[in-house]
Structure formats: structure tokens, C-alpha cells
Amino acid sequence: MLCQSSQSVLLGGIALFLPLIREDLGLTFTQAGTLAATSTLIYAFMQIPSGFLADRLGPRRLFIIGLAGTTTLAITFALVNVYWLLLANQALSGFFRALVFAPGLLLMTALFPEARRATALGLYVTGGLSSNVLLNLLGPLLVEPLGWGAVFIIFGLLGMVALAVFWRRSEPDARRPDHAPPSVLEGFRVFRHPVMLTLGAIQFVRLAVLFGIATWLPTLLVDSKGYSLQTAGVIVAFGAIAGAPANLLGGYVSDRLRRPLAVIAGSLSILMVCAVALVHVRGLVPILLVVGLISVFTQFYFGSLFSVPITMLGARTAGLTSGIGNFFANAGGFTFIFTLGAVRDGTGSFDAGLYTLAGACALGVLLVFALSRMRGMQPPVSASPLEA
């Protein structure tokens, strides 16, 4: 959980310090958006290879390689100030971050019984948010005396400590003789399955909302709502704290009720309302309320969404289906990180982009209802956990 947390420091730090980074480098909003978008694009295209390799080679070695790369790049990001070098840094960061996500999901779910799969997935991401809570609380305080580069170096070094502990304490990958890894042909068959494609579209919406708002929220608060960077950091940190237990709680609710699709549809419905509300709210308390709800419900349905393909398509391809789902998710994240910046440059406001996110959430709800009518590769059971 601590290692998973360390790999998100660079992405979260760029979002928090984007107003300062943009000012220091003289970037437009569109150029600033490409820093996070480039990492997300490479990360998206690496998801399927990462999940496939995790199923075939074992997740631990990929997890360690990915963490070594991401923590090193968090430190080197602070040492360059040329736009194209930062862009290259982010491209490499996306590559190594992809080696962390799907392998980490497999490592975590192996520690829990099958009936608690969504809880395990939620716990993995809940722990992963801890660095962003600390970053948003301490970052604005540290950035004035030290600069944003020093903050990246400090958090990158902490990530290396977490990696060293994991390396020493974790068990080597064990090969199960009854668990034949999927072939390339089976991988293509899983990718094209209607269940996987529908889940991929819902995943696209998931990170479109999460990354789109997370990347641009500090800038929106400073540029459109008139708050200082310190106040914006407190608001974002409040959201991170409010959302921290949401993954675990959402996974627990999904497992207890055995209704993951209802959890997904309900979360997307609330996010649709909140995206519209973010356009109109004024005043610190209403903004805190909306940001808190967004932070909770962008995380609440994570475990449900990643447990559904394992249940419907089988555990043998768990790494692959997690990778495919996260590929579509990060394609959505890349699209809306770039789109919101371009919309801000073109219209002078984030409003149109937020309305578009609300429409994407509405589409996601419709896709959940379509998914509830589908059957996967697994034989149906009398008390299906997918009943919505």
C-alpha cells in the first residue's frame, strides 16, 4: 500500500503545483496539461502488456521494477526545467507506473479470500492515497521555503525507502501448477468480449472524471474561484482525506450487498450532479462539500468495477482484465486532462469541460444497465453477485 502510494506522488504533485510550474516555465494551459496527459497516455498503452506479463511472469518483479523507475523519475523531475525534458520524464514515468498497478492488484487480492475481492481492491487504492493526503497538506507549506522541486525530491526519497522495505519483506512470486497463464490469442479474445468492451467504456468515464478534475482542480480554484494556492491545497487535501476511506468502504459495501453494479451506477449518478455543481458553487463551505463528494465517489466504486471482470471473465486472466480496464480508464484520463486545458484556453473557463464530464457520467450509468444484461465466460450462479 505504501509503495502504491509512492508511485502517485509525481502525478499528484504536478496537479497541485501546476500553477507554479506553468508560471516558472511560461507554459500555456494546453502545454501544462500535456505534462500530466503524456504520462497518462503512455501509462494507458502499457496497461495491457503489464497485466499480461503479470499473469505470465508473476507480479512481484514487475512491481519492484515499476516502483524503482517511478521514484527515480519523481526526483529527476525536480532537476530539469526545460519543457521537452519534463515531457520526456513524464513519458517514462507513465511507462514505469504501468508496471505497478495491475501487478499490485494481483499481489493484494492474493492476501484476501475471494468473497472479499472488492474489499481488497479498495484497500489497495485507499492506502495508495496516503501520499497525496500528505502532499496536499504539507506541499503548500514546504513549497514557499523550498520550492516545488525540493518537495518532489523529498517524497521521491520516501518512496525509495518504502520500496526497499517491500523488497526485503515480500515473498518471491510463486508459480501455481493449476493456473496456466493466458496465451496471446486468449488475450485478444478477452479484449474483444462484449463484457470487457462495456467495462472498458465505463472505465474510460471513471478516470476521465477522476483525472480531469484532480489535475485541474487546484488551477480552477486559483484561476476561476479566486483562492490562493495555500487555500487550494487545503481544499484538495480535504478532498483527499474525505476520499481516503472511500475505496475500502465501497469495496466492503459491494461485497456485503453483492451488488457491485448498483454501487457503480449510484456513484456515477452522484458524480454527474457534482460536476455540474462545481461550475456554480461559490463560497468555501459549498466548495468543500462538492469537492468532498467528488473525492468520495470517484473512489467508492473502484473495487466494484475491477471485481466485476474477474467474476464474469474468470480469475485466470485477472491481471489481463485489470490491465485492459485500466487501459481504457487512462485513455479517458488522458483525453480529459488535455481537453479541459484546451477548453480553458479556448473559452476562458472550465465550465464547458465540466458539463461534458457530467454527460460522460450519465453515459456511464446507461452502460452499467447494459452490462447487467450481459453474460461473461463464467457459468451463471443462483446468487449472482452481479445482480443489480
Side-chain angles (χ1 to χ4, degrees):
M1 287 164 58
L2 290 175
C3 288
Q4 150 73 354
S5 177
S6 68
Q7 64 91 23
S8 64
V9 163
L10 187 53
L11 196 64
I14 289 176
L16 177 62
F17 300 129
L18 197 55
L20 298 179
I21 296 171
R22 191 177 65 84
E23 182 179 349
D24 288 349
L25 299 179
L27 306 177
T28 67
F29 285 94
T30 302
Q31 289 175 322
T34 60
L35 287 178
T38 298
S39 174
T40 303
L41 180 64
I42 302 299
Y43 180 73
F45 280 113
M46 277 298 299
Q47 285 303 303
I48 298 175
S50 174
F52 181 77
L53 290 173
D55 284 330
R56 294 193 65 85
L57 303 179
R60 179 179 176 270
R61 69 187 68 181
L62 292 180
F63 194 72
I64 290 173
I65 293 170
L67 285 166
T70 54
T71 52
T72 300
L73 289 163
I75 294 172
T76 57
F77 186 89
L79 303 179
V80 294
N81 56 10
V82 178
Y83 171 65
W84 71 268
L85 289 176
L86 295 176
L87 208 59
N89 175 284
Q90 284 299 281
L92 289 172
S93 177
F95 175 87
F96 284 105
R97 281 196 305 117
L99 301 182
V100 175
F101 181 79
L105 290 180
L106 296 182
L107 291 169
M108 181 61 84
T109 53
L111 303 175
F112 286 76
E114 184 177 341
R116 289 291 177 264
R117 182 180 289 144
T119 304
L121 294 170
L123 182 62
Y124 176 64
V125 178
T126 296
L129 295 173
S130 58
S131 66
N132 276 339
V133 174
L134 289 175
L135 181 64
N136 284 289
L137 285 175
L138 300 179
L141 300 177
L142 296 174
V143 71
E144 186 171 345
L146 301 178
W148 55 265
V151 176
F152 281 124
I153 293 174
I154 292 170
F155 277 85
L157 292 174
L158 291 175
M160 287 189 170
V161 172
L163 171 58
V165 173
F166 175 81
W167 194 339
R168 291 294 302 272
R169 301 292 297 177
S170 59
E171 297 290 336
D173 293 319
R175 180 73 67 184
R176 284 175 48 188
D178 62 333
H179 190 112
S183 65
V184 174
L185 182 61
E186 185 177 4
F188 280 112
R189 185 163 61 91
V190 171
F191 183 89
R192 294 181 300 173
H193 197 284
V195 166
M196 194 70 252
L197 292 176
T198 305
L199 282 163
I202 299 170
Q203 289 276 18
F204 184 97
V205 174
R206 178 178 73 88
L207 279 195
V209 176
L210 177 58
F211 278 10
I213 292 179
T215 299
W216 291 108
L217 181 60
T219 302
L220 182 148
L221 293 171
V222 173
D223 183 67
S224 301
K225 306 294 185 181
Y227 292 104
S228 67
L229 180 63
Q230 287 72 22
T231 303
V234 171
I235 294 172
V236 174
F238 169 81
I241 294 170
N247 279 291
L248 178 58
L249 180 61
Y252 177 78
V253 170
S254 178
D255 285 334
R256 292 289 292 177
L257 299 180
R258 299 176 66 84
R259 295 167 67 90
L261 296 185
V263 171
I264 297 169
S267 299
L268 287 170
S269 298
I270 294 172
L271 290 171
M272 175 182 64
V273 175
C274 288
V276 174
L278 195 57
V279 175
H280 300 285
V281 292
R282 293 292 185 274
L284 185 59
V285 173
I287 288 176
L288 285 171
L289 177 61
V290 173
V291 169
L293 286 172
I294 290 172
S295 299
V296 168
F297 285 100
T298 51
Q299 305 293 342
F300 195 80
Y301 65 115
F302 176 90
S304 302
L305 192 51
F306 277 92
S307 68
V308 168
I310 300 175
T311 302
M312 296 185 73
L313 301 178
R316 282 186 61 250
T317 57
L320 180 61
T321 54
S322 297
I324 293 172
N326 218 35
F327 161 74
F328 282 106
N330 282 274
F334 167 80
T335 300
F336 276 86
I337 288 172
F338 180 82
T339 298
L340 287 177
V343 167
R344 173 59 181 81
D345 274 340
T347 66
S349 168
F350 288 105
D351 294 359
L354 291 171
Y355 286 132
T356 303
L357 285 178
C361 291
L363 176 60
V365 173
L366 295 177
L367 290 170
V368 173
F369 284 111
L371 184 63
S372 68
R373 301 289 183 254
M374 296 181 182
R375 292 175 58 182
M377 297 177 180
Q378 300 289 81
V381 294
S382 56
S384 172
L386 296 175
E387 290 175 0

